Amino acid sequence: MMRKTLTAAIAGLALLTAPAAAFASDSATSTTSMSATSTKPLHLRKGLTLTIPKSWKVYEQYKDWLRVVTGKCASLGTELFGFRDSGCHSFWVMGPKAIKVGHEFFNAYTPDGPFYPATDVGPCPYDEHLYMGQSKLAAKGLRQIGPGHKAYYRKWAGTCVTQTTFKVKGHYNQREWFLPTSKILVIDQWDTPGLTSILKNATWS
């Protein structure tokens, strides 16, 4: 029941790209404290470039489903590696194909609700033995993504519940930055340290 999603359907496919580089450190820091030797550029669609730590590994799992792994990732290298896995410290950069199916029942994504490409209940992001429970809007507004671009920002406060009694056992945040004109959606379920600063200091070409 928990894997009836578009990403689950393609989870068994091999990664379309290898890691962007071989990385040495797992630390995540803000761009203000990172030197040029500890960072690398991540070139995205429409000329958007993020400056990220060299420790972060980049995978394109499917067209317009790009994942940046920032630390431990239990599902890496397995058939479960996908948007609805558990225990993989990461964030996603989605393009048009993902945005088109980004809401429940695979409807097109809008900032009115959290990105949730599913028809069933998904696993908790940090514990595969729990389900995702209810979520509520905790913050909204506009956030800078490099010069001249503002994204619709949403922070959804989610719960993780037991699979039988649905008792709340924990919480997580799903942060989203959406650029509708550029068709770029950044999704972070791990409160990734430094990500807000990295997006704010992005460049466009």
Side-chain angles (χ1 to χ4, degrees):
M1 180 182 72
M2 293 171 60
R3 300 293 175 185
K4 298 176 184 176
T5 65
L6 178 63
T7 48
I10 62 174
L13 295 176
L15 296 178
L16 298 183
T17 61
F23 305 115
S25 168
D26 287 330
S27 63
T29 56
S30 70
T31 54
T32 57
S33 61
M34 294 189 297
S35 67
T37 58
S38 65
T39 62
K40 66 168 293 171
L42 174 59
H43 301 292
L44 302 169
R45 57 179 282 106
K46 298 296 184 179
L48 175 61
T49 298
L50 307 182
T51 300
I52 63 173
K54 286 185 176 180
S55 60
W56 293 1
K57 301 175 178 67
V58 181
Y59 301 87
E60 183 182 20
Q61 188 191 5
Y62 198 64
K63 174 66 175 177
D64 289 338
W65 297 72
L66 188 143
R67 190 174 205 174
V68 182
V69 176
T70 62
K72 294 180 179 179
C73 185
S75 62
L76 185 61
T78 74
E79 65 178 8
L80 299 179
F81 186 76
F83 183 75
R84 297 209 314 166
D85 59 13
S86 295
C88 185
H89 294 249
S90 60
F91 66 91
W92 291 82
V93 183
M94 305 300 196
K97 291 183 181 297
I99 292 169
K100 189 176 181 179
V101 295
H103 273 328
E104 197 169 8
F105 302 108
F106 307 114
N107 292 316
Y109 172 85
T110 72
D112 296 331
F115 185 87
Y116 188 75
T119 60
D120 62 349
V121 180
C124 173
Y126 63 83
D127 188 338
E128 64 180 345
H129 302 296
L130 299 175
Y131 283 152
M132 295 174 72
Q134 298 294 319
S135 62
K136 63 180 181 180
L137 185 62
K140 63 181 293 186
L142 297 176
R143 296 290 188 273
Q144 199 74 32
I145 307 292
H149 293 75
K150 288 186 180 294
Y152 291 101
Y153 173 76
R154 300 291 185 268
K155 179 179 178 180
W156 300 95
T159 58
C160 290
V161 301
T162 60
Q163 297 182 10
T164 53
T165 63
F166 300 102
K167 181 179 180 180
V168 175
K169 288 292 186 178
H171 300 82
Y172 70 97
N173 294 314
Q174 180 164 311
R175 301 187 297 168
E176 302 176 353
W177 294 259
F178 181 45
L179 293 160
T181 302
S182 303
K183 292 183 170 55
I184 296 171
L185 172 63
V186 178
I187 305 166
D188 176 32
Q189 295 177 327
W190 289 91
D191 289 321
T192 301
L195 182 56
T196 298
S197 180
I198 286 170
L199 294 173
K200 183 179 180 180
N201 291 285
T203 60
W204 296 84
S205 60

